[in-house]
Amino acid sequence: MSFDAEKEIAKLWAKCQAVQDENRRTFYQCREAAIQMVGDGADENAIALKAWEIKGKDVAKSYLPRIRMDKPKFVENIAKLFVNSWRNQGAVVSVEPGADENEVFIVWERCPWPTTAKQYGAPMTEDLAGCDLALQTTIADVALFSNRNLKIETTKAIPRGEGKCVRRLWLEQ
């Protein structure tokens, strides 16, 4: 039996994509379960934002052991943590340099979360607000851990129809 590396890589890639899709579906299934449990009058946006906030805190916990404060390019290194975790979720994302080493831009050329949000009837305003909250929560916890004044803001967003998401990540002096 011969080994076909290309075929095996294609199988692994398909399995990876299936897990990425399952992760996003599970998020929205739990959102829907929480909304149904609350019943009539449920504040769907508040429920979703709480879930995104919890996601952001959990992401920060996964980043903390990997933060090396003694390395140069601290902001870029934090941005790379985001890039790696979002790629694991199926996004096409990269880091672009900013004005200096204390600023970078994280650019999502493609993100599967808005598509999944639409499939589950979540509005794009909720998707964007939730993603922003998760990112801001992660950065707040990383900033607290590192004792540095890190900030993140969205300058462009796929859910607003702007073609890509661009987040400015910077160290405020």
Side-chain angles (χ1 to χ4, degrees):
M1 183 170 150
S2 65
F3 179 78
D4 184 343
E6 193 170 312
K7 185 176 178 180
E8 293 303 314
I9 290 169
K11 282 185 199 176
L12 288 172
W13 181 246
K15 289 178 183 180
C16 178
Q17 288 176 313
V19 170
Q20 292 166 345
D21 190 44
E22 184 65 27
N23 177 51
R24 291 185 305 277
R25 284 197 320 268
T26 299
F27 178 89
Y28 283 101
Q29 291 162 350
C30 290
R31 171 193 175 272
E32 182 60 29
I35 290 167
Q36 288 180 21
M37 293 293 291
V38 172
D40 290 339
D43 185 340
E44 295 181 15
N45 192 57
I47 290 168
L49 290 179
K50 188 62 175 176
W52 281 101
E53 179 185 16
I54 291 168
K55 181 176 172 51
K57 287 201 163 290
D58 192 55
V59 168
K61 287 177 193 172
S62 76
Y63 288 0
L64 299 182
R66 294 182 275 167
I67 295 173
R68 296 280 313 270
M69 290 182 294
D70 59 336
K71 290 183 93 175
K73 298 185 179 182
F74 178 76
V75 175
E76 181 180 336
N77 290 330
I78 299 300
K80 286 178 181 178
L81 291 171
F82 277 113
V83 166
N84 290 334
S85 62
W86 281 88
R87 283 180 180 163
N88 288 341
Q89 297 174 58
V92 175
V93 58
S94 61
V95 177
E96 294 181 4
D100 59 34
E101 70 176 22
N102 292 318
E103 176 188 60
V104 297
F105 293 90
I106 307 170
V107 180
W108 283 255
E109 296 292 336
R110 188 174 69 227
C111 180
W113 281 89
T115 301
T116 307
K118 283 181 187 177
Q119 291 169 343
Y120 283 87
M124 289 297 98
T125 53
E126 178 188 295
D127 178 71
L128 177 58
C131 185
D132 283 348
L133 180 59
L135 294 168
Q136 290 165 2
T137 302
T138 301
I139 286 299
D141 286 359
V142 168
L144 184 64
F145 174 78
S146 66
N147 197 30
R148 297 187 185 183
N149 198 8
L150 280 169
K151 302 289 182 185
I152 192 165
E153 69 178 348
T154 299
T155 61
K156 285 187 178 182
I158 293 168
R160 289 193 301 238
E162 296 173 314
K164 60 179 143 183
C165 289
V166 178
R167 269 71 183 223
R168 177 180 174 236
L169 176 65
W170 75 99
L171 186 60
E172 201 166 71
Q173 301 298 329

